[in-house]
């Protein structure tokens, strides 16, 4: 699994980061360091056991970690390169980051930024729940706010163009009683999306192509709990039928799931297993639950990796329509 995530991210990130969230006049210079940046991506690796760990400024410019612990960074040069610590936890967890110290001069665009979500190639996740509160920037001193993510993925971006300067953070994972947007490690696992009777949209994104099977569906049916509802079976193309609560299955070419390509929108009450799974050949596989708040909706999904040889006869191949 670790190897797989590493592979996925390597493929994903080979384009390099578009450092959208870090303001500054140094974009020209940032671009010039892009090649060394992509170089780091191809060697993206996960931390082993970083209870206390020093970030290697060259090897770890792009770092993905699913671990808790303390991380130190000390800049090796005056280069204004932007790096990131991409944190991911189990689906039912939130991520808390504490800056133990920040010794990053604000001159030349020095900056550390907490991002409540992920940003990659100019796209943010979760895009439909985004607001300015999700980004906290700081230099010279520690961010004054408590930094806890809404979902199981978060990011620290930093630019320290001053040799010997740096920062230290402690990463902790806490239980999330009501996960809404969830990022999956690789493309494997079973996950249930629920609206808890509330209005709004929740989603699962797997950062890889995947096969998605709906194991259980209860969307747009149950007004109250504990009532025995009639099985309607799976209803397809629910948005075309004007039904307001539905599940969209599809994929996206990047983290922004609001730009997803939809294979089908389904709803109804169906507890039978063994339906035909959807083969999604996209950079990211996305399932979205849209809820008006009138119903108690839930959908249980099984994700598995899409084998290379199945890509060409997939149900959805992203980007095909724009060719
Ligand atoms: C939820 O999704 C629907 C359909 O895509 C959209 O119209 C609506 O604005 C979304 N709601 C929120 C709170 O993002």
């Amino acid at each position: 699994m670790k190897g797989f995530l590493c592979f996925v991210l390597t493929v994903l990130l080979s384009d390099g980061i578009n450092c959208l969230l870090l303001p500054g006049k140094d974009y020209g210079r940032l671009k010039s360091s892009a090649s060394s940046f992509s170089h780091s991506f191809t060697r993206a690796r996960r931390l082993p056991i970083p209870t206390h760990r020093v970030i290697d400024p060259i090897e770890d410019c792009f770092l993905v970690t699913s671990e808790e612990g303390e991380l130190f960074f000390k800049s090796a040069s005056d280069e204004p390169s932007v790096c990131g610590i991409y944190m991911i936890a189990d689906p039912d967890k939130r991520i808390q980051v504490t800056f133990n110290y920040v010794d990053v001069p604000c001159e030349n665009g020095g900056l550390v930024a907490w991002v409540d979500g992920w940003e990659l190639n100019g796209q943010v996740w979760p895009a439909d729940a985004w607001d300015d509160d999700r980004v906290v920037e700081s230099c010279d001193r520690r961010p004054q706010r408590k930094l806890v993510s809404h979902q199981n993925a978060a990011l620290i971006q930093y630019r320290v163009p001053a040799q010997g300067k740096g920062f230290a953070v402690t990463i902790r994972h806490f239980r999330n009683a009501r996960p809404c947007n969830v990022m999956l490690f690789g493309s494997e696992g079973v996950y249930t999306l629920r609206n808890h009777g509330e209005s709004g949209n929740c989603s699962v994104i797997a950062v890889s192509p995947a096969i998605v099977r709906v194991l259980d569906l209860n969307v747009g049916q149950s007004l109250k709990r504990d009532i025995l509802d009639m099985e309607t079976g799976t209803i397809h193309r629910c948005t075309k039928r004007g039904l307001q609560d539905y599940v969209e299955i599809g994929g996206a070419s990047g983290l922004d799931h609001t730009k997803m390509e939809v294979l089908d929108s389904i709803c109804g009450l169906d507890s039978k297993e063994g339906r035909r799974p959807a083969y999604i050949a996209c950079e990211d596989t996305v399932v979205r639950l849209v809820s008006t708040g009138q119903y108690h909706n839930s959908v249980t999904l099984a994700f598995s990796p899409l084998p290379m040889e199945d890509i060409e006869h997939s149900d959805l191949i992203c980007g095909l329509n724009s060719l």
Side-chain angles (χ1 to χ4, degrees):
M1 182 98 114
K2 286 191 180 182
F4 183 72
L5 178 67
C6 195
F7 163 75
V8 165
L9 286 164
T10 306
V11 171
L12 242 170
L13 301 173
S14 48
D15 295 349
I17 280 185
N18 179 335
C19 304
L20 184 75
L21 296 170
L22 289 178
K25 307 174 218 84
D26 291 314
Y27 272 63
R29 280 201 280 162
L30 278 178
K31 283 205 184 90
S32 68
S33 64
S35 59
S36 63
F37 220 60
S38 346
H39 180 62
S40 325
F41 291 157
T42 56
R43 290 192 286 164
R45 58 194 171 112
R46 298 212 318 179
L47 295 177
I49 307 153
T51 29
H52 289 278
R53 187 185 147 129
V54 178
I55 297 174
D56 183 322
I58 293 147
E59 293 282 311
D60 296 333
C61 181
F62 173 80
L63 189 64
V64 180
T65 178
S66 59
E67 311 286 344
E68 297 177 270
E70 194 171 17
L71 289 174
F72 299 89
F73 174 78
K74 194 189 240 190
S75 183
S77 73
D78 293 343
E79 279 295 304
S81 26
V82 177
C83 293
I85 303 167
Y86 287 78
M87 298 165 283
I88 184 155
D90 289 334
D92 61 342
K93 295 282 170 67
R94 295 171 186 266
I95 295 169
Q96 185 189 55
V97 163
T98 312
F99 279 88
N100 302 319
Y101 72 82
V102 173
D103 180 21
V104 177
C106 302
E107 290 87 53
N108 306 320
L111 202 58
V112 290
W114 151 264
V115 183
D116 181 2
W118 274 24
E119 187 269 333
L120 215 54
N121 301 323
Q123 295 194 11
V124 295
W125 178 86
D128 57 356
W130 205 261
D131 57 42
D132 290 345
D133 265 6
R134 284 192 177 248
V135 182
V136 178
E137 292 172 352
S138 194
C139 54
D140 260 350
R141 61 176 196 160
R142 300 190 291 169
Q144 298 303 293
R145 242 179 61 192
K146 196 172 182 188
L147 307 173
V148 183
S149 65
H150 283 87
Q151 64 293 309
N152 68 326
L155 164 67
I156 298 165
Q157 282 188 327
Y158 56 96
R159 175 168 53 201
V160 188
Q163 190 177 356
K165 299 294 183 179
F167 62 90
V169 291
T170 299
I171 303 168
R172 290 272 171 262
H173 299 170
F174 291 104
R175 205 174 95 82
N176 184 357
R178 289 189 170 191
C180 176
N181 291 300
V182 168
M183 188 180 280
L184 289 188
F185 285 54
S187 58
E188 202 123 41
V190 172
Y191 191 74
T192 302
L193 270 178
R194 288 176 205 286
N195 73 330
H196 302 280
E198 286 167 17
S199 66
N201 306 325
C202 292
S203 63
V204 189
I205 184 168
V207 281
S208 59
I211 300 173
V212 183
R213 190 187 295 270
V214 179
L215 300 182
D216 187 83
L217 181 70
N218 183 354
V219 171
Q221 299 293 321
S222 297
L223 289 169
K224 280 192 194 135
R225 280 161 200 270
D226 305 323
I227 288 179
L228 265 183
D229 296 288
M230 292 286 289
E231 290 252 335
T232 58
T234 299
I235 304 165
H236 295 270
R237 291 180 293 281
C238 294
T239 46
K240 288 226 171 73
R241 293 168 198 261
L243 298 161
Q244 289 179 307
D245 285 45
Y246 53 89
V247 177
E248 285 179 324
I249 298 176
S253 309
L255 288 182
D256 185 348
H257 60 225
T258 63
K259 293 180 186 149
M260 78 184 276
E261 293 182 31
V262 178
L263 172 68
D264 195 3
S265 63
I266 57 171
C267 56
L269 184 64
D270 195 343
S271 55
K272 281 197 290 290
E273 281 197 64
R275 276 178 228 95
R276 207 186 149 272
Y279 286 53
I280 309 291
C282 298
E283 229 175 271
D284 300 289
T285 305
V286 181
V287 178
R288 259 179 101 230
L289 172 63
V290 175
S291 306
T292 54
Q294 294 167 268
Y295 305 98
H296 280 276
N297 295 328
S298 69
V299 56
T300 301
L301 307 148
F303 287 77
S304 53
L306 179 68
M308 217 55 125
E309 62 268 24
D310 288 331
I311 287 179
E312 58 180 326
H313 41 258
S314 286
D315 300 294
L316 177 68
I317 303 176
C318 278
L320 220 57
N321 291 340
S322 57
L323 288 181

